[in-house]
Each structure stands twice: as structure tokens, then as C-alpha cells.
Amino acid sequence: MAELRPLLLLDLDGVLNPFAAVTCPDGHQERVLFEGEEPVRFCPGHAGWIRELAAAGELWWATGWGDHANELYLPLLGLEPLPVVRFPPVPFAPELKVPAIDAVSGGRPVAWIDDNHTEAGRRWAAERDAPTLLVPIAPEVGWTRADVDRVLRWAREQA
């Protein structure tokens, strides 16, 4: 049943877009998506990783990009839109992700991939009755195959 599948939450900046790297990492490309801002980095190879996660659970965006993640970023990877967790308008304090994520997660297992897990997020994860995995990402590196494999193993354990 779809409602029993784990919820997999994916941030964009710092995860898919390693914005803190000094130079554009190998395998990544850069594209200006927002006029007057730094280029966004993307790796075409991440499309396969995203497909794998979507097959393992219910994959949602958990990013301040909101609908822009579907409208501007996913087309760079040739992927279809994902559901979006609705956060306050940017800029917002990172801990404000927690109430919105809590609202969409209910009592389901949740894996949350983010470069900025806050104390509020760690407390939320520790207090949940459902299995919860926080996957911290270094924004100067972005996510790695090991991060994806960790979430896939965890998602299989929830089945």
C-alpha cells in the first residue's frame, strides 16, 4: 500500500546543489536559474539516484525552492515533478522546516536528506514513534552514492 511506503525527503541546496564547494565539482554543471544570483550546480548523473529513491519510497522535495525545484531544477535532469513540502516564504529559519515536515509525515517512517539539520529537527526525529533517519550532507560536497545507498538500505528495512 502506498501509504505504508516510507516518506523520503530531499533538500536541494547543499544536497544536489553543492553550493559551498570552492569550484564546480567533477560531474556537475552550472546554470544561472535566478537572475542576479550565483549559478546553480547540478549533476546529470543524479537523475538515476532520484529515480532509485522514488522507487524505494514516496519521494518529496523538502527545500526552500518550493515549486521552483520542479519547474527549474528537475528539467535539468529530465525528471518529472515531485510533491513539495510547503515551507514559509524564503528566507526562513531552517528549524521552521520541522512543523511542515511533521505535518506531511504523520506516523510514517521518514528519511530526511538535508545539509542543515537543526537541533529542532534532531529533537523531532528522536521523539517520533515511527522510524526516522536524518541524513546529514556536507554542502561543500553534496550528496554521495553512499548517502543514497544508506537511504535505500533503510527504506528496504521499513518494508
Side-chain angles (χ1 to χ4, degrees):
M1 300 170 107
E3 64 269 16
L4 297 178
R5 295 177 70 205
L7 183 62
L8 309 178
L9 303 171
L10 184 60
D11 186 23
L12 201 158
D13 282 333
V15 178
L16 280 86
N17 173 24
F19 67 86
V22 176
T23 61
C24 187
D26 288 344
H28 285 72
Q29 299 174 31
E30 293 183 324
R31 175 100 27 101
V32 174
L33 297 180
F34 301 99
E35 190 173 328
E37 293 189 19
E38 293 292 317
V40 171
R41 295 170 174 166
F42 66 98
C43 176
H46 288 165
W49 296 1
I50 291 170
R51 284 187 193 99
E52 287 180 71
L53 290 176
E58 188 177 333
L59 184 61
W60 284 52
W61 282 120
T63 174
W65 281 55
D67 291 318
H68 291 303
N70 286 326
E71 297 162 0
L72 300 174
Y73 197 87
L74 280 186
L76 298 173
L77 303 179
L79 296 173
E80 296 297 317
L82 298 172
V84 176
V85 178
R86 300 291 172 198
F87 295 134
V90 292
F92 62 88
E95 58 270 7
L96 294 180
K97 283 186 170 184
V98 175
I101 286 173
D102 187 56
V104 300
S105 63
R108 296 169 58 188
V110 174
W112 180 6
I113 306 166
D114 202 301
D115 68 309
N116 193 10
H117 289 293
T118 63
E119 184 55 38
R122 288 187 286 278
R123 192 171 42 254
W124 169 81
E127 293 172 356
R128 294 187 79 232
D129 291 331
T132 305
L133 175 67
L134 299 182
V135 181
I137 305 297
E140 64 277 3
V141 176
W143 68 342
T144 66
R145 183 67 221 189
D147 299 316
V148 174
D149 288 342
R150 180 179 177 200
V151 174
L152 293 173
R153 276 191 307 276
W154 177 87
R156 279 193 300 273
E157 292 169 4
Q158 307 315 308

